[in-house]
Every structure is written in structure tokens, then in C-alpha cells.
Amino acid sequence: MNILKFITAGSVDDGKSTLIGRLLYDSKAVSHDVLHALERQSRNKPDGELDLSLLTDGLRAEREQGITIDVAYKYFNTPRRKFIIADAPGHIQYTRNMVTGASNADLAIILIDARHGVVEQTHRHSLVASLMGTPHLGVAGNKMDLVGYDEQTFYRIAADYQKLAQKIDLQEVLFIPISAYVGDNVVERSENMTWYESPTLLEHLETVELSHDLPEDEARFQVQYVIRPRTENLHDYRGYAGAIRSGFFKKGDRVRVLPAGIETTIKAIEVHQQEVEEAFAPQPIVLHLEDGIDISRGDSIVRLEDAQPAVSQDLDLDICWMSERPLQVGDRYLLRHNAATVKAIVKEIQHRTDVHTFEQQPAEQLALNDIAHIKLRTAKPLVFDAYKKNRSTGALILINENTFDTVAAGMLHSS
């Protein structure tokens, strides 16, 4: 599918919602009824211009405050590609929303106000994009109209950001000078910045190569549900339902069931209640195995001939802490890894990352929005891959056992 999922991020009032509104409006992705509603809501604006940020602000309370306080998803398409946009809030306390949006994004757009340059939230959002393994990154120097479309201002921002990118190993960064409010270099090429000759933002979004980074040589399937109808017609039916996380499976493949380590053979594969010879990620399927094995929700099935995942109770991981209650050594949480849920205890906080300097610092506890490297011990073995190799099987979340709130997103390292 030719669908690009991307996220916009930046500091408060950097123009994220206006940028998305401009993309939707100038690409003619706004329906007539929405456009009429927008015109009515913009009547109080000077000169009658449209407030394009209203296209992403979904709640009246948010509009009254003049801010966006949640991730707003929008969908649009051009003749060349379909798009899913996540607009992450700029406030520091909502960094967790940036984590949510970046976890499945193919591309991130970091907005920088041309008047202010690189600021703390630029560092924080860039670090999150790096940790989440976002394949492509675009840096948009916004509000160029407010600095007189000055070429040197834009290149100074690009130079400052490049220093930041080198510190956290961001490889592929595209810099685009824009004015979301006026429309320069968003969809249409700017007549005010003839010194910029690279693609507009939309041209880049339409042509960037989609990085489907699921490894083909690591077939991974995790059981979500064991199907046992026990009806008269299906007395012996036993199927294992779930989604292929990466790679592919074929009928007749020799596989290993983990964490038990038992080997067997795939007897049949069902897709939409029809038997098929093979299936690929990320298809939801039902697997049937030759042998009667005790398999439960959260167990993994992998092909014997492929690279094998780690199986361990001791985990090294980077986390983004999302709770106002601090994390401390000895704290206990529920760990959810796709369909698997296990109890876990914090064994060590190795270091936290300073978002200003990216230096690793010792820490006795983690506060809201801290990014750190920790060690966990789980109640039973987890089957996983390093996040940098396989985003699908290397990600997890931590959940408060009492409130069931999600308190952290984690990216696993090799055991």
C-alpha cells in the first residue's frame, strides 16, 4: 500500500496545526461542508483570512485555549499517495503524545520557528524520533515570512540542527524553509524564496521512499488467541490466531514455539477463513501445527531457518517515562509486549539522557518525560528482537498495576 504515515512535532505555537491545515487546504483535501464551517469559524480573524489550524483542533475546549492538547489524526490523499498525519502537541508535558505518534511513523517533520531557532523541545522531539527509529526526518523552518524570507536565517537554523543531529546519529535529514500561514513551499513553490531550489514539503512527502523495515529473514508470529470451537463439526479444531509481526510463513515450514523451545511443523495457514500456502507480515492469520503443544496467548512462533529472537527475563531497554509519578529501582509494573503481558521489576536505572546536551547522566529516579536506559527483570521469559533491528518485536509499554495507566514506552536492546 502506498500510504505514508508521518508526524508533525515542535514547540508550542510553532505552527504545526496551521501546517497541516495548509496541506489539507492547498491539496484540496477539504470537503465543501468543512470549508464552509471553517469560513464561519474564521469570521473574527482580521482581513477574513481562514484559520487553517482549526482543521486539526477537534475539541471546543482546545480551541478556546488556543492550543492543541492531544494527537490529532488526519487523512488525505493526492494522485500520487495516501497520507496519515499525526499532529503531536508542543507542550513539554505532552511529550508522550510525540512518542505515540512517532512509534508507527515513516517520517517526522520537526517544525522550528525561524525567529527562535533550535530550542529545548527541538532537542526532545528529535531524541524521541531517533529512539523510535523513525526512518525519515524533515526539518521545516517555519514562519519565514516573519524574518523577511532571509536565506541566512534559514541556513543558520540548518547548521545548528545538523550539530544536534550528529550527536544522536540522525542520518537522513531534509531542511525546507516554509511559511505555513502564507503557504510558501508547503504545496506550492514560494516566489519569496527563489534561493531554495529543492522540493516543496508536499513534493517530498509524495516522493520519499517508504521504508518498510520489517526484516524478511526474521519470521515472527505471536499468538493472540487460541481457537478451540469444540463443536460437533470442529471437534479437533485447534488454531492459533494472531498477526505476523515480520517475515513470512509457508505451509510445511519447520518452526519453534517460544519460550518453551518446542519444534513442530506448520500444517495449515488460514487467511480470512481460507487456507493459503503462505502469508506475509503484517497479515492476521490462523496457524495450525502438526503437534498438540501447550501454547498460550503471548507465545511466539518462529521459523527454524531464520535468525532467532532473544528469549530472556533480563531486559535492557531505552524508555520514555510518561507518568507524573517517578520511576524508581524496585518499582513493579505490568509489561505489555504486543499480545504478551508479564510482570516486571525495575532492577537498575543505568542513566538518563540530558535533552539539552544529550549527555548520559546518573539518576536515582525518572521524572515525567525523562528519557533513560534501564534494566528490568520479568516474571517469565520474553521473546523479542532488538528494536533497532525489528520495531514490531522490539517495542513494549509499561503499565501501572493499580491504575492500568500506560507509564512508559520502551525500546529493547539485544540481550
Side-chain angles (χ1 to χ4, degrees):
M1 294 184 292
N2 191 16
I3 301 175
L4 178 73
K5 295 172 287 186
F6 70 94
I7 181 172
T8 60
S11 297
V12 178
D13 296 329
D14 274 352
K16 300 175 298 301
S17 296
T18 300
L19 172 61
I20 294 175
R22 176 62 65 183
L23 276 170
L24 297 172
Y25 182 75
D26 283 4
S27 62
K28 297 179 174 54
V30 182
S31 63
H32 290 295
D33 56 336
V34 172
L35 185 58
H36 290 323
L38 184 64
E39 290 171 346
R40 289 195 303 271
Q41 292 163 343
S42 301
R43 283 174 183 169
N44 294 329
K45 300 290 287 183
D47 301 324
E49 71 269 17
L50 295 178
D51 185 353
L52 297 177
S53 66
L54 295 177
L55 289 173
T56 58
D57 283 343
L59 299 177
R60 181 175 300 175
E62 295 173 11
R63 295 180 187 173
E64 290 172 352
Q65 297 177 63
I67 60 173
T68 304
I69 60 173
D70 204 349
V71 178
Y73 290 94
K74 286 292 180 180
Y75 308 85
F76 78 103
N77 60 276
T78 68
R80 304 180 72 175
R81 179 170 279 174
K82 295 181 179 180
F83 302 94
I84 301 174
I85 320 169
D87 177 22
H91 294 70
I92 293 175
Q93 65 266 40
Y94 299 113
T95 301
R96 60 184 178 270
N97 300 89
M98 167 68 181
V99 175
T100 301
S103 62
N104 293 307
D106 302 303
L107 181 146
I109 300 171
I110 307 282
L111 268 77
I112 298 177
D113 189 322
R115 299 169 299 174
H116 304 145
V118 174
V119 296
E120 177 184 338
Q121 278 296 76
T122 313
H123 285 239
R124 192 184 304 275
H125 288 153
S126 299
L127 182 57
V128 169
S130 175
L131 286 175
M132 302 306 293
T134 308
H136 303 281
L137 187 68
V139 174
N142 193 25
K143 304 190 180 183
M144 289 297 295
D145 55 310
L146 300 183
V147 295
Y149 299 104
D150 182 57
E151 181 178 2
Q152 294 307 312
T153 298
F154 172 72
Y155 285 120
R156 185 164 56 250
I157 292 171
D160 289 344
Y161 192 89
Q162 198 63 55
K163 295 175 184 176
L164 178 161
Q166 291 173 356
K167 291 181 180 179
I168 53 177
D169 198 31
L170 288 172
Q171 300 293 330
E172 183 180 332
V173 182
L174 176 70
F175 298 94
I176 306 175
I178 69 169
S179 169
Y181 181 76
V182 179
D184 293 286
N185 285 338
V186 179
V187 173
E188 303 295 336
R189 186 166 297 279
S190 172
E191 296 181 359
N192 299 304
M193 291 180 281
T194 55
W195 44 265
Y196 175 77
E197 298 178 349
S198 296
T200 65
L201 179 59
L202 182 60
E203 287 171 347
H204 178 60
L205 295 176
E206 287 182 323
T207 58
V208 67
E209 182 179 350
L210 291 176
S211 301
H212 297 298
D213 54 354
L214 296 177
E216 294 184 359
D217 62 342
E218 296 180 1
R220 305 287 189 258
F221 173 86
Q222 193 184 57
V223 178
Q224 186 172 1
Y225 187 68
V226 180
I227 303 174
R228 292 294 309 276
R230 298 184 184 277
T231 62
E232 184 175 342
N233 294 334
L234 298 170
H235 181 74
D236 296 323
Y237 186 100
R238 184 193 296 266
Y240 304 102
I244 301 178
R245 295 293 170 182
S246 62
F248 62 94
F249 289 90
K250 294 181 180 180
K251 181 179 179 180
D253 278 344
R254 290 290 293 172
V255 295
R256 179 177 286 124
V257 180
L258 297 172
I262 301 172
E263 297 179 9
T264 184
T265 301
I266 294 178
K267 181 170 64 175
I269 302 173
E270 286 184 53
V271 176
H272 301 307
Q273 299 181 328
Q274 299 293 324
E275 285 200 22
V276 297
E277 292 297 312
E278 61 183 335
F280 303 83
Q283 281 182 300
I285 64 171
V286 176
L287 283 181
H288 299 266
L289 305 178
E290 291 284 0
D291 303 296
I293 302 171
D294 183 12
I295 299 176
S296 303
R297 176 183 172 89
D299 287 348
S300 293
I301 298 174
V302 303
R303 294 204 312 169
L304 283 180
E305 64 185 75
D306 290 348
Q308 297 296 290
V311 182
S312 179
Q313 290 178 259
D314 296 301
L315 309 178
D316 279 295
L317 64 155
D318 295 309
I319 67 165
C320 298
W321 187 247
M322 303 177 180
S323 174
E324 294 182 357
R325 180 179 177 180
L327 174 142
Q328 297 176 323
V329 173
D331 287 349
R332 298 174 184 270
Y333 300 97
L334 294 176
L335 184 157
R336 183 162 296 164
H337 177 250
N338 294 320
T341 302
V342 298
K343 292 186 176 183
I345 184 171
V346 179
K347 300 299 290 184
E348 183 181 350
I349 301 174
Q350 291 196 310
H351 59 76
R352 63 178 291 276
T353 301
D354 186 304
V355 296
H356 299 284
T357 64
F358 301 123
E359 293 179 352
Q360 297 175 355
Q361 302 174 335
E364 295 184 357
Q365 65 180 26
L366 300 182
L368 177 66
N369 295 323
D370 273 348
I371 294 171
H373 186 88
I374 69 171
K375 289 189 175 184
L376 298 176
R377 172 83 175 176
T378 56
K380 60 181 181 179
L382 198 71
V383 181
F384 64 94
D385 297 283
Y387 184 83
K388 287 189 175 181
K389 289 182 60 182
N390 192 328
R391 292 172 76 185
S392 180
T393 60
L396 58 83
I397 60 172
L398 297 180
I399 299 170
N400 184 300
E401 288 185 289
N402 298 316
T403 65
F404 296 101
D405 291 334
T406 299
V407 295
M411 288 68 69
L412 288 156
H413 291 247
S414 298
S415 62

